[in-house]
Amino acid sequence: MTDATRTEPARRPARRPGPGLVLWGSVALFALLFALVAYRVGVSTAPSAAARPSLVRKVVKRRVVTTIVPTPGRSSVSASPASTSESGAEPIVTGAS
Amino acid sequence: MSGEHDITFDAMGSHVRLLIGEPGPGLRSAALAAERARETILAFDAALSRFKPDSELCALNEDPREAVPASPLLRRAVRAGLQAAERTGGLVDPTLVGEIEAAGYVGSRAGVQGASLGSALAEAPPRRPAQPDPRERWRRFLVDEEAGEIRRPPGLRFDTGGTGKGLAADLLAEDLRGYSRFVVDCGGDIRIGGADALVNPFEVYVEHPLSGERAFVLRLGHGGVATSGLNVRVWRGEDGRFAHHLIDPARGEPAWTGLVGATALGDTTVEAETLSKAALLSGPEGAREVLAPLGGLIVHDGGRVEPVGSLSLRPRVRWPQPAEESGLAA
């Protein structure tokens, strides 16, 4: 076993960035990214003469809900001769004819 | 039910009522549309009435030729009658003109006071379901659209009465499609349509054939509803027996099946009218089968009202079909 002793230069402790640098760096990076995103969004939504028209298709599903309710009362079949009015006051009745 | 233009007039031996809402872009006003529809109905009646000797239908029935030129309206009416026969296996038979005349229904009975249905039921023969005529004479009618002709053996007559009112309602519905909502009521055979009716449906009362009271209320946003019953056209024949206008095809006589009324729903009024007649002719058991798919009501001889199929459930959800996709509306 040798008794040689090697000497190495003393390591200097790593310099950690100061809080001010971290803070302003973060702000700057955020601003940069924000500006980049804002630019991209602006470009994509800007009207362009070459833009292809988009086709919006509206899908409408129709359903009829029919309920049936027993109702006592007199029938009033519309049996008047020719008559005209602007509001349907008489009930609509289905029956043999 | 407010806001619609409402007009009632007499045609086809019944009262016809139109309720027409707001017109869509480019369409004439509801009042003008109603007047146009009235003219259409009157022309329909003039062409297809069995009781008007100068009608095109009577001309067809009297024509000695085998192939008879026919207007698009008559061809469509005959097609509707044949489709009804096909759909019901011949139970709704449009060739029973001789039989119904033999029963005493020779002229229009509009405005004629009928006999008491209660008395008729008391004297009626034992109840039994009607059956199709095994001869299937209706199959001998052929509508040739290319030639614009109707072919059949001379002397075989056709009656559009079984589907006429329903077809009239469906024809008007095609013209009124662009209005916010509408009702076409041809003597109780009703067609409802319009986009607004889907969210704001009409209430349709079903009249009880014996009491005249409102038996039920249907809320309908689309499609057809029709009622067949014995209460309006029942009379005492020359032989002293009671008769009515719904003929048993197999026996050639009025059918007494145990039912006095049947109401049917359909995608079109022709379909509803076909099903209501088939249900009444089938008797209680058969009527349940006929009405089950689309829903309906039957009224027994004793007056009991029986909802059938989906109408016996609530709420009832029914998917509408556009009229032009329905075979019976074509």
Side-chain angles (χ1 to χ4, degrees):
Chain A
M1 195 177 232
T2 61
D3 197 15
T5 302
R6 289 198 310 181
T7 59
E8 294 181 359
R11 282 187 179 171
R12 297 174 58 189
R15 284 190 60 185
R16 300 173 64 186
L21 181 61
V22 172
L23 174 66
W24 288 111
S26 300
V27 170
L29 183 60
F30 172 79
L32 180 66
L33 292 174
F34 184 84
L36 181 64
V37 170
Y39 172 76
R40 297 288 301 174
V41 170
V43 167
S44 64
T45 58
S48 167
R52 294 171 57 192
S54 59
L55 178 64
V56 179
R57 182 170 295 167
K58 187 177 180 184
V59 178
V60 179
K61 285 188 176 179
R62 296 184 302 166
R63 72 175 63 179
V64 181
V65 178
T66 304
T67 58
I68 180 167
V69 184
T71 57
R74 297 291 301 169
S75 172
S76 52
V77 181
S78 173
S80 58
S83 62
T84 302
S85 65
E86 283 300 327
S87 64
E90 294 292 317
I92 303 162
V93 180
T94 178
S97 62
Chain B
M1 196 164 52
S2 62
E4 281 81 27
H5 186 79
D6 187 351
I7 180 172
T8 303
F9 55 93
D10 290 332
M12 300 185 290
S14 303
H15 301 296
V16 176
R17 185 180 182 196
L18 307 172
L19 286 165
I20 304 175
E22 295 298 319
L27 296 177
R28 58 173 68 89
S29 71
L32 287 175
E35 184 54 32
R36 175 78 176 271
R38 192 176 77 90
E39 292 170 359
T40 300
I41 289 282
L42 295 176
F44 185 99
D45 190 20
L48 300 180
S49 173
R50 181 167 65 88
F51 308 124
K52 294 179 177 172
D54 57 346
S55 72
E56 190 182 5
L57 176 64
C58 286
L60 169 70
N61 286 337
E62 297 300 321
D63 200 302
R65 293 171 291 179
E66 185 170 341
V68 181
S71 68
L73 177 61
L74 181 58
R75 296 201 304 270
R76 185 163 181 179
V78 170
R79 279 207 325 268
L82 296 178
Q83 286 168 347
E86 186 79 49
R87 172 85 178 256
T88 60
L91 202 53
V92 179
D93 190 331
T95 63
L96 301 174
V97 181
E99 287 81 354
I100 199 169
E101 287 180 348
Y105 194 8
V106 179
S108 172
R109 299 191 63 82
V112 177
Q113 181 67 33
S116 160
L117 179 56
S119 302
L121 290 172
E123 296 185 21
R127 312 303 193 254
R128 54 187 174 186
Q131 299 291 335
D133 182 349
R135 293 173 294 173
E136 295 187 322
R137 292 178 300 181
W138 55 274
R139 289 194 185 276
R140 306 185 72 178
F141 273 84
L142 179 68
V143 180
D144 187 338
E145 289 294 343
E146 286 189 10
E149 292 176 342
I150 295 173
R151 300 201 194 101
R152 85 283 178 257
L156 183 56
R157 292 185 288 171
F158 199 93
D159 182 13
T160 57
T163 48
K165 295 190 186 76
L167 179 60
D170 289 337
L171 287 174
L172 290 191
E174 292 173 8
D175 293 337
L176 298 175
R177 200 179 302 167
Y179 290 78
S180 58
R181 63 177 198 159
F182 62 83
V183 175
V184 181
D185 176 1
C186 294
D189 295 341
I190 295 169
R191 179 69 183 264
I192 286 172
D196 286 1
L198 294 170
V199 292
N200 187 17
F202 287 96
E203 288 187 343
V204 179
Y205 294 89
V206 179
E207 184 185 51
H208 195 293
L210 292 172
S211 67
E213 296 180 346
R214 297 174 192 169
F216 283 96
V217 176
L218 306 170
R219 291 192 182 87
L220 288 176
H222 182 275
V225 57
T227 296
S228 293
L230 309 186
N231 52 311
V232 173
R233 288 179 169 83
V234 58
W235 61 88
R236 191 185 283 276
E238 292 179 355
D239 58 358
R241 294 190 300 170
F242 284 101
H244 60 79
H245 69 299
L246 291 171
I247 302 295
D248 178 344
R251 300 181 184 89
E253 296 178 345
W256 302 95
T257 65
L259 296 177
V260 291
T263 298
L265 298 175
D267 291 326
T268 65
T269 317
V270 169
E271 183 177 35
E273 190 175 14
T274 300
L275 295 176
S276 69
K277 283 184 169 57
L280 197 145
L281 289 169
S282 298
E285 201 166 316
R288 294 184 191 105
E289 292 181 18
V290 169
L291 298 178
L294 297 178
L297 301 169
I298 54 177
V299 183
H300 296 257
D301 280 4
R304 183 167 69 88
V305 178
E306 179 183 343
V308 177
S310 52
L311 273 196
S312 60
L313 310 171
R314 67 176 147 160
R316 200 177 78 82
V317 179
R318 185 163 69 92
W319 297 93
Q321 298 293 324
E324 60 273 20
E325 293 178 7
S326 169
L328 285 171

